[in-house]
Amino acid sequence: MTVSLAPYRDPARPNDERVADLLGRMTREEKLAQLGSFWAFEVVATAGLDSDRLRALAGDGIGQVTRLAGSTNLGPAEVAEMANAIQRQLVEETRLGIPAIIHEESLHGLMAWAAPCFQQSIGAAAAFDPEAVTAMAATIRQRMLLTGARLALGPVFDIARDPRWGRMEETYGEDPYLSAALGCAYVEALQGADLGDGVIATAKHIVGHGLAEGGLNQAPAHAGPRELRDEQLFPFEAAVRHAGIAGVMPAYCDVDGVPCHASAELLTDILRGEWGFDGIVASDYMGVEMLSTAHRLTGDLGEAARLALAAGVDAELPRTVAFGPPLARALAEGRVDERLLDAAVGRVLRMKFRLGIMDEPLVDIPSVAALERLAAAESEAAQSLAERSLVLLENDGVLPLAPDLRRVALIGPIADSARDLLGDYSHLIHMETLQEMRRGVDALGVIGDGEAAPPGDELSGRQTILDALRAALPATEVVHARGSGISSGIDDELQAAVAIARDADVVIAVLGERSGLTLDSTTGEFRDRTGLGLLGRQQELLEAVVATGTPVVLVVVSGRPLALEWAAEHCAAILLGWVPGDAGPEAIAGALSGVVNPGGKLPVTMLRQVGQLPLTYRHHPTGGHSHPTGDYVDASVAPLWPFGHGRSYTTFAIDHLRVDRSVLETSGDQVAIRVDVTNTGPRTGDEVVQLYVRDEEATVARPVRELRGFRRLRLEPGECRTVVFRLSTEQFSYVGADLRRVVEPGRVSVQVGRSSADLPLTAELHLQGPVIELVERKHYLTETAVE
């Protein structure tokens, strides 16, 4: 006898038909459950799944489970087993058998016990290499699939202009094009060709989070509609229309008074209406509640829920508060249109069908062999990314270190610290954070009734820069003294560091910041600063060892650009390591010893003094200097190092600019731009060829230059290759005086070189034809090739 399946259970039917059928069967309580979530640690007991607690939290089902790996100390096989136990109970015990989406943090590696921590996003941006980001994201996808997680809260597309803001390290820097290129590479690798065997990526945080006033986390953003469209929204639009991203997360901030979680213009009109986004919008953690608490739009959580739902928010994370009883009451009282609920639930259900979890909610428990293969791929990707992210700012010839050095003094608070190489979204750091919140510092209110597991020993076996440098210099004595802490220090430690510096051939000073969310962290989420100098006694330590007369190499470990003007004048070399993660020690030691030739470039403009902020190479023609004198009264307006800057142990020539045409039509035309790149030095090395454009005739003020393409390539000594950029006329579009996106006729220039301030090759192009309104942009990224 043939058993007839309910339409929503029949995998042969179209997803839209299955969604409609399932939605029609649901009670209001079951619909509301699909918009909610709970912390995984609330149902994870010592003996396994706490089934009674799960029934209490998800008796009618649940939309998402928050951080099963990221809020527990379970190993990957245990996470998979727990994920299966949760899904099995949801499928077998709830009336309609709807499984949950398990989400995890994935910014620079899956936030999970035993998972690797990769170079932080700001360092990944410095690599100027989408392929390196792709390799990292591909391993994150594999690890998530092995453990049952299907939604990743990354990448971050925020454009960051103020390094006082602690979350700059989570971004791809100050430039919209670079952010779009790298973020889209991450999205495509994570989601794959089909979400049925991929992981949902989430674009964070739309929009303006990196423009916060005073550099303060979650503070309001002040930007006009053109700046929002041309700069802040550009990478999000590219993620939707170019990369097909399936998840979006609103920012905590308000823009011109409207909180992003309550902005129908942003989440419905622009995101869904203009861009055609068909995924789910998940709140930032507590973002819906904050409409009532932080933003004070209303004292009623039911009204906060209505505002968010009407704006287009589909899921409340990390736990159900406003979308629970408050929204239920508002619906019962007729204050919320039931169609808003159905629309949001429909989008959640559609995503569950697209993921395939409605038909196959369980995963195979990963074998030891599978995890070992994954670990090998992760190690290779992490090493490549860490090496390619290093930026050599200055070098008077002391680097690479000579192999016959007698003694090297390694000093600084981060020289022998594995902890301080980890970014703010690594597992250990978030477990520390949950424990700090549980101890009474729960400013975010994320713990609820659950009990987070304590941090485990995740530093054992992790290498430090001291370990790696001793391995890289086997014939050299490497002596170590801490010298100071990151935020503190004592005389005895400082004097011990000075003593070993006097008797060394070279001093390596590893200074910087501690990334994280705990109160002893100095950079990371809600760890904002007023100044950007070295904290504690680190500057005093640096000056003291420089005074010994021994050449000093400064290695900076920080998620934000620091003010290093003094160091630039007095240190023999400066190397930026960013927040390099597990592969950082070997990469940094390799660069110091010469095994690795640094080739990274600055994804931010490096300031001299904090008073220059905000500072960007993309300023308008009247920006960047004081009229008519130019400089400040007390300092230069020039950056210490420009966006795109980075030195090498070899030299390169970029020449022979050719364009295949100089006149283009405003509608749908393209130009091929070629330059030759030659390694003119003695070592194999990487150069990043950068293409910038400038509109010479526009109806509104435009940036003096804008990045519109880049290509990293490795060349042997004497080798010459040709880099080709295929630039569309769409790349010259902008939001005009009437707020329409247009391509206008007139003169434009292209500039090619090795940084935003080193562009020796230029050509002028002429756009001819009518003004074109660009309604549906197709060319977000410039195609590049190497011949």
Side-chain angles (χ1 to χ4, degrees):
M1 185 178 72
T2 302
V3 177
S4 177
L5 293 173
Y8 81 91
R9 294 188 182 277
D10 185 356
R13 293 176 182 267
N15 283 344
D16 284 349
E17 183 180 333
R18 299 178 75 183
V19 168
D21 176 67
L22 180 53
L23 192 61
R25 297 171 184 268
M26 298 175 77
T27 65
R28 179 182 290 170
E29 291 73 22
E30 289 168 333
K31 292 175 182 177
L32 285 168
Q34 290 302 309
L35 307 185
S37 61
F38 61 79
W39 279 97
F41 61 70
E42 297 188 76
V43 299
V44 176
T46 305
L49 177 66
D50 185 337
S51 297
D52 291 338
R53 180 63 176 160
L54 178 56
R55 290 186 189 98
L57 290 170
D60 290 312
I62 197 73
Q64 295 193 36
V65 175
T66 296
R67 285 166 37 183
L68 178 55
S71 68
T72 70
N73 290 330
L74 299 176
E78 296 170 306
V79 172
E81 290 171 351
M82 185 62 66
N84 283 350
I86 291 171
Q87 301 287 37
R88 189 176 292 111
Q89 182 168 326
L90 290 174
V91 169
E92 294 178 356
E93 294 193 15
T94 62
R95 186 177 73 91
L96 294 170
I98 305 172
I101 296 173
I102 298 172
H103 78 255
E104 299 285 359
E105 299 282 3
S106 65
L107 185 61
H108 49 107
L110 178 61
M111 186 196 292
W113 178 274
C117 178
F118 289 83
Q119 168 67 267
Q120 179 60 285
S121 295
I122 193 69
F128 272 73
D129 188 349
E131 291 182 0
V133 173
T134 293
M136 175 193 72
T139 69
I140 296 173
R141 174 187 178 211
Q142 292 177 51
R143 187 169 283 273
M144 290 185 71
L145 290 174
L146 284 174
T147 53
R150 300 300 298 275
L151 188 149
L153 299 183
V156 169
F157 283 99
D158 298 320
I159 305 302
R161 297 279 168 77
D162 192 334
R164 294 175 299 175
W165 182 50
R167 297 194 82 170
M168 176 176 262
E169 72 173 69
E170 301 176 28
T171 76
Y172 293 122
E174 72 177 62
D175 184 77
Y177 183 90
L178 180 62
S179 178
L182 300 179
C184 285
Y186 181 110
V187 170
E188 290 168 344
L190 199 70
Q191 294 193 164
D194 185 340
L195 277 181
D197 55 6
V199 170
I200 297 170
T202 306
K204 298 163 47 173
H205 310 81
I206 193 169
V207 65
H209 201 24
L211 291 178
E213 63 185 26
L216 293 169
N217 196 47
Q218 301 182 11
H222 306 286
R226 267 172 291 277
E227 182 177 359
L228 281 175
R229 294 281 191 161
D230 283 334
E231 298 189 359
Q232 297 295 315
L233 283 172
F234 173 78
F236 293 95
E237 182 180 348
V240 173
R241 293 186 56 82
H242 176 81
I245 198 166
V248 166
M249 177 178 283
Y252 284 124
C253 63
D254 72 69
V255 180
D256 195 24
V258 181
C260 295
H261 281 77
S263 176
E265 179 186 14
L266 180 65
L267 302 180
T268 296
D269 298 346
I270 295 175
L271 180 62
R272 298 191 187 277
E274 293 183 23
W275 299 350
F277 177 68
D278 63 354
I280 57 174
V281 174
S283 81
D284 206 342
Y285 283 16
M286 287 75 64
V288 178
E289 296 174 59
M290 287 171 61
L291 296 177
S292 176
T293 56
H295 293 290
R296 302 184 185 179
L297 299 188
T298 172
D300 179 5
L301 279 175
E303 175 63 10
R306 185 195 69 79
L307 289 169
L309 198 63
V313 176
D314 303 316
E316 183 180 16
L317 306 182
R319 58 192 176 100
T320 308
V321 178
F323 278 5
L327 179 55
R329 286 193 295 272
L331 284 161
E333 294 166 4
R335 293 186 286 130
V336 177
D337 190 333
E338 196 90 26
R339 290 173 296 183
L340 291 174
L341 176 64
D342 285 353
V345 174
R347 291 190 287 262
V348 171
L349 296 177
R350 188 171 292 105
M351 196 57 63
K352 291 185 176 185
F353 281 112
R354 286 181 62 188
L355 288 169
I357 61 173
M358 293 295 295
D359 303 314
E360 295 183 13
L362 308 184
V363 296
D364 295 331
I365 307 303
S367 66
V368 172
L371 292 171
E372 289 176 345
R373 288 192 298 271
L374 174 57
E378 290 169 330
S379 178
E380 182 179 352
Q383 195 64 41
S384 174
L385 183 60
E387 291 176 358
R388 296 167 89 77
S389 69
L390 301 177
V391 179
L392 183 64
L393 291 175
E394 294 293 346
N395 182 25
D396 69 359
V398 69
L399 293 180
L401 299 173
D404 58 353
L405 290 174
R406 175 184 58 88
R407 179 175 295 130
V408 169
L410 182 65
I411 68 166
I414 306 175
D416 194 30
S417 172
R419 157 65 179 82
D420 294 320
L421 304 179
L422 306 180
D424 69 341
Y425 269 73
S426 55
H427 183 262
L428 169 64
I429 290 172
H430 266 253
M431 296 306 292
E432 292 174 349
T433 305
L434 289 174
Q435 284 302 302
E436 186 168 276
M437 290 174 174
R438 170 50 74 190
R439 289 194 296 269
V441 197
D442 189 1
L444 296 180
V446 300
I447 301 299
D449 297 326
E451 182 65 60
D457 179 12
E458 295 189 63
L459 295 179
S460 179
R462 275 185 154 127
Q463 198 178 39
T464 68
I465 294 172
L466 175 61
D467 299 329
L469 191 60
R470 283 176 171 164
L473 301 174
T476 299
E477 181 185 8
V478 178
V479 293
H480 169 253
R482 192 173 82 133
S484 79
I486 289 175
S487 300
S488 61
I490 59 175
D491 290 345
D492 289 349
E493 277 196 310
L494 192 149
Q495 292 162 7
V498 171
I500 67 168
R502 287 198 186 99
D503 191 34
D505 300 318
V506 175
V507 176
I508 309 295
V510 188
L511 309 178
E513 298 193 86
R514 167 170 294 169
S515 180
L517 285 73
T518 53
L519 298 183
D520 64 347
S521 300
T522 65
T523 180
E525 187 169 2
F526 57 79
R527 308 309 298 145
D528 311 316
R529 293 180 55 184
T530 58
L532 292 171
L534 293 165
L535 288 166
R537 300 185 69 178
Q538 291 184 85
Q539 181 66 33
E540 182 184 354
L541 171 65
L542 183 62
E543 293 179 12
V545 295
V546 166
T548 66
T550 304
V552 176
V553 175
L554 173 61
V555 177
V556 183
V557 175
S558 175
R560 61 176 127 223
L562 300 177
L564 300 174
E565 190 169 25
W566 189 93
E569 295 175 359
H570 295 91
C571 292
I574 303 177
L575 182 72
L576 293 190
W578 307 104
V579 189
D582 295 327
E586 189 174 340
I588 290 170
L592 296 173
S593 66
V595 174
V596 173
N597 189 350
K601 303 287 184 176
L602 287 175
V604 290
T605 302
M606 293 283 281
L607 74 169
R608 297 175 182 274
Q609 301 179 28
V610 73
Q612 291 177 277
L613 294 175
L615 186 65
T616 174
Y617 85 92
R618 289 172 49 92
H619 60 78
H620 285 190
T622 56
H625 57 292
S626 178
H627 296 268
T629 55
D631 285 333
Y632 293 103
V633 170
D634 55 348
S636 168
V637 297
L640 190 55
W641 294 285
F643 176 90
H645 168 80
R647 302 191 184 279
S648 172
Y649 297 152
T650 191
T651 56
F652 298 92
I654 304 176
D655 51 24
H656 299 129
L657 172 67
R658 293 95 73 193
V659 297
D660 70 346
R661 56 198 306 188
S662 59
V663 179
L664 296 91
E665 299 297 323
T666 52
S667 177
D669 216 341
Q670 188 179 82
V671 59
I673 303 164
R674 286 177 166 81
V675 294
D676 295 337
V677 189
T678 306
N679 184 341
T680 57
R683 291 173 175 263
T684 300
D686 290 10
E687 181 59 290
V688 179
V689 184
Q690 301 166 42
L691 169 70
Y692 295 82
V693 303
R694 181 166 64 206
D695 196 327
E696 306 288 358
E697 299 175 341
T699 54
V700 298
R702 302 288 297 133
V704 294
R705 63 187 56 87
E706 301 175 273
L707 183 70
R708 280 296 180 266
F710 59 88
R711 183 64 181 241
R712 182 168 181 155
L713 68 163
R714 177 162 297 175
L715 298 174
E716 301 295 328
E719 184 181 6
C720 177
R721 301 291 298 276
T722 298
V723 174
V724 184
F725 298 99
R726 300 193 183 278
L727 185 66
S728 166
T729 53
E730 286 190 13
Q731 298 283 39
F732 295 103
S733 70
Y734 64 90
V735 176
D738 60 0
L739 298 182
R740 296 183 305 146
R741 176 164 297 281
V742 293
V743 181
E744 293 181 332
R747 294 182 300 116
V748 296
S749 64
V750 295
Q751 306 168 339
V752 181
R754 54 177 56 87
S755 83
S756 62
D758 184 4
L759 299 167
L761 306 179
T762 64
E764 187 169 274
L765 305 176
H766 295 267
L767 303 185
Q768 67 178 17
V771 174
I772 300 298
E773 181 177 4
L774 190 59
V775 178
E776 292 192 11
R777 201 171 358 182
K778 297 181 176 64
H779 299 281
Y780 291 89
L781 304 178
T782 301
E783 180 185 344
T784 66
V786 178
E787 296 178 344

